[in-house]
Amino acid sequence: MPKSSKVYRSVTIDDFPAYVIGFALRWWRNDLRNMTLQDAARAIHRDLSYLARWERAERPIPESVISELDALYGANGRLVRLSAALVDLDRYRGTVEPRSSTQREDEDMERRTLMQVIPMLGIHTAVSPEVINRVFGAADKSLGPISHDPDEWDWIVFERWHYYTTNRPGAAVPMLATDLLQVTDLLGKTETAVVRDGLTRIAAQLASLLACDLADVGQVQSAVRAFATARRFADASSDQALATWIRAGEALHSLWFGRPIAVVDRLARDAVDIANGKPSPGLMNAHCAHALVGAMQGNREMVRTALVKANEIWERRPQAVDGATDPATWTWARGPLGTQGYAHALLGEATAVHELEAAYERHSRIGYNGGARSVRLMQALHMVQNRDLEGLTLAVQVGEEMSFSAQRRTIAAKILDALPPKAKTSEPAHRLRELAASTRPAPPPAA
């Protein structure tokens, strides 16, 4: 398959202000103060990768950070004033074509309609989203507009991921849909290229998480549409690793809600092509998807090759990712352990026992409850395949603890298929079918 022709990180004239302040920060740090990135990041208690991206104009710089760096470098307000001047320059560089009031009213009406539809996508909320929207709309008028800062939205996405992985399927749908509406609205009002790029990246992640949760509650058509939207946003950003991660995530999740193997394979291959050999969590996940495709086809060599590649990337991961406690680390959270154990379980390999136990320990340690439950079902499948019917009891226990996602429904079906003929008509088997067939909505969040 030919390599992707997409060019990432294209620079336009709109990037001029960001590049000027980035150069100024680097000049003050390196040329004038002779400080390393590590020294500066440590002094202001910021992540080294963020400081590097701010200097390269790859991320918008919060005003508070500019003030901190101004003080650190002894710039006596020069960096702060330069930043303010560049903002004014960008703000007044041209005129914006006004939109008619009718167009604005139509868009507002559409947005209100979308807010009313949000509860229908997943769970029912206790209070109408229209009422909530009016309350926060009034608050926004007094406090100013919703933040355009992609760094702040990074934390929101991280929080949504955590909510998605620790709650019942469908619970995160209303929040994710609302967030996506807010971010796309901000995109329509943002002219600064660096900020637009950051918000585009945020929209891709929100749409991807929304797709996963929609699939988990059986909204397959909407999930496929959401994944397509996530791909478009990722491709519109300058983030090559994100475009890789979005496709690999879609490939993995598509296995669970029944898309053809050929589609899964194509998505994983596209992710590998876009990565172009550069290690990332997305490239690791793409190889994991290929490992599962191989296991489902009984192709041991394909499984072995894909897992070797996935583990090589995992071994080269930044050590800080092991906790998955901030926006820079959560996309690594899955790791290859669960995939490795499940692939070997499908192939009947004895090594699956230890691999799945290690995966369960990791998921539990980082609070990845949904992943931990899925691993327990994988363990149950391996037990049943080895004629240990305690695996059926374990599967029912998992279903009683947490509703079945698309992944857990697929594994439960394999458990039922692997049961001996007599066990298939037992009470636990009937209970597992009942649990797998039902998608119980989560209760509304507490006030």
Side-chain angles (χ1 to χ4, degrees), residues 210-221:
L210 181 58
C212 292
D213 217 12
L214 287 169
D216 285 346
V217 292
Q219 299 289 335
V220 174
Q221 184 176 358

Side-chain angles (χ1 to χ4, degrees), residues 10 14 25 111 246 306 389 393 446:
S10 59
D14 294 329
L25 291 174
R111 190 164 296 278
I246 292 291
L389 294 185
T393 302

Side-chain angles (χ1 to χ4, degrees), residues 40-51 54 62 64-65 68:
R42 191 181 303 114
I44 64 171
H45 306 291
R46 300 279 178 162
D47 189 270
L48 170 65
S49 63
Y50 280 121
L51 185 55
W54 288 329
S64 59
V65 173
E68 292 174 22

Side-chain angles (χ1 to χ4, degrees), residues 277-279 310-319 332:
K278 185 176 181 180
N311 279 291
E312 285 177 351
I313 296 171
W314 179 245
E315 290 300 324
R316 296 166 62 185
R317 73 194 183 279
Q319 291 304 309
W332 286 96

Side-chain angles (χ1 to χ4, degrees), residues 95-160:
T95 58
V96 179
E97 182 180 351
R99 291 184 293 181
S100 68
S101 59
T102 301
Q103 180 184 0
R104 181 73 255 180
E105 290 170 1
D106 289 343
E107 291 178 357
D108 288 344
M109 181 175 295
E110 179 183 9
R111 190 164 296 278
R112 286 195 297 271
T113 301
L114 288 170
M115 291 295 291
Q116 291 175 326
V117 169
I118 285 171
M120 299 170 61
L121 297 176
I123 63 171
H124 290 88
T125 54
V127 181
S128 166
E130 174 67 16
V131 174
I132 294 294
N133 210 31
R134 289 180 179 177
V135 170
F136 287 109
D140 287 340
K141 289 181 180 178
S142 62
L143 295 174
I146 299 171
S147 174
H148 286 62
D149 184 0
D151 288 337
E152 183 176 335
W153 277 100
D154 274 334
W155 280 99
I156 293 174
V157 173
F158 169 67
E159 186 176 352
R160 297 298 183 258

Side-chain angles (χ1 to χ4, degrees), residues 273-398:
D273 287 343
I274 292 172
N276 198 24
K278 185 176 181 180
S280 69
L283 183 56
M284 177 189 70
N285 288 343
H287 292 313
C288 285
H290 274 142
L292 293 181
V293 168
M296 292 176 180
Q297 295 174 338
N299 188 335
R300 281 181 162 77
E301 181 58 27
M302 182 178 178
V303 172
R304 188 194 68 80
T305 301
L307 288 176
V308 166
K309 293 178 179 179
N311 279 291
E312 285 177 351
I313 296 171
W314 179 245
E315 290 300 324
R316 296 166 62 185
R317 73 194 183 279
Q319 291 304 309
V321 309
D322 286 346
T325 56
D326 63 63
T329 63
W330 71 270
T331 52
W332 286 96
R334 182 190 303 276
L337 286 172
T339 296
Q340 183 168 317
Y342 185 55
H344 287 157
L346 292 176
L347 295 174
E349 302 284 351
T351 57
V353 174
H354 302 296
E355 292 161 348
L356 290 173
E357 189 59 40
Y360 178 76
E361 188 276 332
R362 171 174 173 77
H363 291 333
S364 299
R365 186 176 72 250
I366 66 175
Y368 189 2
N369 293 355
R373 296 294 189 278
S374 295
V375 171
R376 277 291 185 238
L377 277 182
M378 295 172 187
Q379 292 175 313
L381 172 61
H382 193 250
M383 293 168 67
V384 170
Q385 288 174 328
N386 287 278
R387 296 296 182 263
D388 182 355
L389 294 185
E390 285 299 313
L392 177 59
T393 302
L394 175 60
V396 172
Q397 178 184 338
V398 171

Side-chain angles (χ1 to χ4, degrees), residues 392 396 422-434:
L392 177 59
V396 172
K422 288 185 179 180
K424 289 183 178 181
T425 59
S426 65
E427 181 60 33
H430 286 308
R431 179 57 178 156
L432 183 59
R433 289 190 190 91
E434 181 182 74

